[in-house]
Amino acid sequence: MLDEQLKTQLSAYLERVQQPFELVASLDDSETARDMLELLTTIQALRSDKITLRTDGNDARKPSFTLQRVGAANSLRFAGLPLGHEFTSLVLALLWTGGHPPKVEPEVIEQIAALTPADGSDFNFEVYMSLTCHNCPDVVQALSLMAIVNPQIKTTVIEGGAFQQEVADREIMAVPMVFMNGQVFASGRMTVEEIVAKLDTGAAARDAAKLSAKAPYDVLIVGGGPAGAAAAVYAARKGIRTGVAAERFGGQVNDTLAIENYISVLETDGPKFAAALEAHTRAYDVDIMNLQRADKLIPASEPGGLIGVQLANGATLQSKTVILSTGARWRNVNVPGEAEYKNKGVAYCPHCDGPLFKGKRVSVIGGGNSGVEAAIDLAGIVQHVTLVEFADQLKADAVLVNKLKSLPNVTIHTNAQTTEITGADGKVNGLKYKDRATNVEHLVPLEGVFVQIGLVPNTEWLKGTVELSKFGEIIVDSHGRTNIPGVFAAGDCTTVPFKQIVIAAGDGSKAALSAFDHLIRMPVVARPAAATPAAQRVVEPA
């Protein structure tokens, strides 16, 4: 189950366990149960003085196991094997259950501990994940931590591949999918702070008052992706007061799987790269305000005055200069059925949700690099892939196109306009497209549609203030300046061509240097001369 190298690493981690706890397994006669028993036996043997293994569990969901701290009422259960991307989640759960402190802000831990359902019962969470989903660990780890900290929070982590009938019965077609007390609570990537904020209804007002009370910044960066992180590092290194307000630190990088073209980094993945961006930013004196969505830009009322950024929670931050780096998001195809069947067959992340369509028929909309890469990836999992591209030829790199065309279970339709995503009984059952050459409409029977048609800049909130292009991008000059004095922009939300991580990081650095140049050239506000104390006056001799 675990090779010797992994056992050695796990043994070193388990040395940090301080409090005794039990692993209680509920097993059946399946192969997964045998693998689970082997895994749990290995874990117990590596720290037998603190970890006890029992196999007398009687939970209805088998195979599964709980982590139960001795003398505590916490409830965390893993149903199926937490391996793949979730092995780290298991290791952290072992450490946290064993008393090792999590790397979470103390105020967040206090907020978790204080959560209480209004009716005095419990929060019962079920989170469905797949072992190949790179968005799932954040949610799994957040809900695991919450169950360990607060005995009124019960969490069950379910590996969809081991409970396929359950997944089908609950019509789960995208992960991570979270249920609370039997009802859908959320889907997609979420941080522990986001989950807590959703449960703690008074958190937003408290946060707004706290943020509004902050002193003005020299540079305020809106957005925490590669552009925003680079801007923050460059600004902070100038010794000026720097703040970052980000809806999700790391931005869209969090949803990227492989990154192989960031110079000097041979290979990494999106979540690791996003974590590195945040760690680098936090290494400097930067005030990071995460989970904050900007709603309005308030230009200075006079030359050299303060610029305001109003947040969705009602708070207003002020700064001498502002750098806009709000990035972009996946573009919707905007046809009937897309919104209706989102997470019911319509998906946007092939790496996360692809395994849920194993052996089924799917379509990919989009023939650029993202679309072709998605089709290649899915072809190894699903029964058949139909790629639909609006243009008369695929726009992806030739090497990717050649690879796609070599696959036996892929059909390619170019010059094809998607007109509708059809469904029945709450799930996708087909895709309609029109041949643009003949105007003939076709229906492709299938169970899943993956939309991969590019990006939309996150700039709607800036309309009427900053000058935007016809595509909604912020218009910038060679220094990252916008049409508003003191306001700069960088990254995928701007007119700079080629939306790449390395380009966004460079643009963020440039915008920070431009903002600093703007600051040092601002006129100094004259201050009234202070009277010289009598004891310090020089009296010339008569």
Side-chain angles (χ1 to χ4, degrees):
M1 179 59 60
L2 302 180
D3 60 32
E4 290 305 315
Q5 182 179 359
L6 203 53
K7 286 181 183 178
T8 301
Q9 293 174 346
L10 181 57
S11 178
Y13 282 124
L14 293 179
E15 287 298 319
R16 303 175 189 178
V17 170
Q18 303 165 12
Q19 300 179 25
F21 65 90
E22 294 179 327
L23 299 171
V24 183
S26 299
L27 304 173
D28 53 20
D29 58 358
S30 65
E31 182 179 351
T32 301
R34 291 191 290 274
D35 289 340
M36 179 178 290
L37 180 58
E38 180 184 345
L39 174 64
L40 298 179
T41 301
T42 300
I43 292 170
Q44 191 274 332
L46 291 174
R47 198 69 163 90
S48 58
D49 61 324
K50 295 291 185 184
I51 303 175
T52 303
L53 174 60
R54 289 169 39 201
T55 58
D56 58 348
N58 59 359
D59 189 76
R61 194 181 269 121
K62 298 177 181 177
S64 66
F65 65 93
T66 60
L67 288 77
Q68 184 69 52
R69 187 180 295 166
V70 175
N74 60 295
S75 178
L76 171 60
R77 179 178 297 275
F78 286 91
L81 282 169
L83 298 175
H85 282 301
E86 294 301 340
F87 186 67
T88 298
S89 300
L90 172 61
V91 173
L92 290 172
L94 292 167
L95 294 180
W96 294 336
T97 303
H100 185 72
K103 293 182 179 178
V104 177
E105 295 297 327
E107 55 265 30
V108 176
I109 297 295
E110 292 174 6
Q111 198 175 358
I112 293 172
L115 289 172
T116 303
D119 60 3
S121 60
D122 293 327
F123 294 113
N124 284 290
F125 286 103
E126 297 166 296
V127 52
Y128 289 84
M129 55 80 174
S130 74
L131 300 182
T132 59
C133 170
H134 62 279
N135 285 327
C136 293
D138 278 358
V139 179
V140 170
Q141 290 164 26
L143 290 171
S144 297
L145 175 63
M146 291 171 66
I148 293 167
V149 170
N150 187 331
Q152 287 190 273
I153 298 175
K154 318 294 184 185
T155 296
T156 301
V157 178
I158 305 161
E159 196 275 292
F163 294 88
Q164 293 183 13
Q165 188 58 52
E166 189 174 325
V167 166
D169 291 344
R170 300 186 87 161
E171 298 184 347
I172 297 168
M173 305 186 76
V175 288
M177 179 69 72
V178 181
F179 290 79
M180 186 182 78
N181 299 333
Q183 302 297 316
V184 173
F185 175 79
S187 64
R189 191 187 195 107
M190 293 182 76
T191 64
V192 66
E193 291 87 355
E194 289 175 293
I195 296 172
V196 170
K198 195 167 182 178
L199 296 172
D200 185 355
T201 55
R206 295 195 304 271
D207 202 23
K210 184 177 172 182
L211 291 171
S212 293
K214 288 180 178 286
Y217 298 93
D218 292 311
V219 177
L220 175 63
I221 298 146
V222 184
V233 169
Y234 266 71
R237 286 172 61 88
K238 293 295 185 183
I240 56 181
R241 178 166 162 73
T242 304
V244 177
E247 188 169 357
R248 180 176 60 149
F249 208 97
Q252 197 183 23
V253 168
N254 285 293
D255 303 322
T256 304
L257 189 61
I259 298 173
E260 300 175 346
N261 57 358
Y262 193 87
I263 307 307
S264 82
V265 180
L266 291 179
E267 183 180 359
T268 186
D269 61 46
K272 287 181 183 176
F273 192 81
L277 289 176
E278 184 168 357
H280 196 172
T281 305
R282 289 189 183 278
Y284 293 91
D285 188 17
V286 176
D287 185 6
I288 295 178
M289 297 158 281
N290 206 5
L291 308 182
Q292 302 301 332
R293 180 169 58 85
D295 259 4
K296 185 178 181 182
L297 180 71
I298 307 169
S301 58
E302 58 185 6
L306 293 173
I307 302 163
V309 174
Q310 184 174 306
L311 305 177
N313 62 11
T316 298
L317 303 171
Q318 293 186 315
S319 182
K320 296 176 183 176
T321 62
V322 169
I323 297 175
L324 305 170
S325 57
T326 49
R329 63 188 183 275
W330 288 114
R331 185 184 300 275
N332 292 324
V333 70
N334 291 322
V335 296
E338 180 182 21
E340 181 182 355
Y341 297 111
K342 184 177 180 181
N343 295 330
K344 296 296 182 182
V346 175
Y348 299 84
C349 179
H351 307 295
C352 303
D353 301 330
L356 298 175
F357 294 86
K358 184 177 181 180
K360 298 181 179 180
R361 301 162 299 177
V362 304
S363 175
V364 173
I365 302 175
N369 280 349
S370 296
V372 172
E373 286 174 353
I376 294 170
D377 184 18
L378 290 165
I381 303 171
V382 305
Q383 177 188 342
H384 191 271
V385 179
T386 301
L387 186 143
V388 180
E389 164 56 35
F390 183 86
D392 58 4
Q393 61 183 349
L394 300 181
K395 296 170 287 185
D397 296 340
V399 63
L400 295 174
V401 173
N402 292 336
K403 172 66 176 177
L404 182 70
K405 290 180 176 179
S406 73
L407 300 175
N409 62 334
V410 173
T411 301
I412 301 170
H413 297 294
T414 55
N415 215 20
Q417 179 181 355
T418 301
T419 57
E420 184 181 357
I421 297 170
T422 64
D425 300 322
K427 295 185 289 186
V428 165
N429 68 4
L431 178 141
K432 289 183 180 180
Y433 74 90
K434 182 175 69 175
D435 186 319
R436 296 176 60 222
T438 64
N439 283 328
V440 175
E441 191 169 66
H442 302 268
L443 172 65
V444 181
L446 43 72
E447 290 74 42
V449 176
F450 288 83
V451 180
Q452 301 280 292
I453 56 171
L455 303 171
V456 178
N458 297 318
T459 58
E460 290 87 353
W461 64 287
L462 293 168
K463 289 179 180 178
T465 52
V466 175
E467 186 179 1
L468 305 176
S469 73
K470 64 180 181 179
F471 301 110
E473 298 168 321
I474 302 170
I475 297 173
V476 293
D477 67 8
S478 60
H479 287 69
R481 292 180 290 232
T482 71
N483 63 307
I484 299 177
V487 178
F488 304 81
D492 288 2
C493 64
T494 73
T495 50
V496 171
F498 309 119
K499 312 307 184 187
Q500 298 290 306
I501 293 173
V502 68
I503 293 174
D507 278 352
S509 306
K510 179 172 62 178
L513 295 174
S514 296
F516 181 72
D517 184 70
H518 177 86
L519 285 169
I520 63 176
R521 295 174 189 277
M522 287 177 66
V524 177
V525 178
R527 297 179 181 177
T532 305
Q536 296 181 16
R537 291 174 187 159
V538 178
V539 180
E540 294 183 357

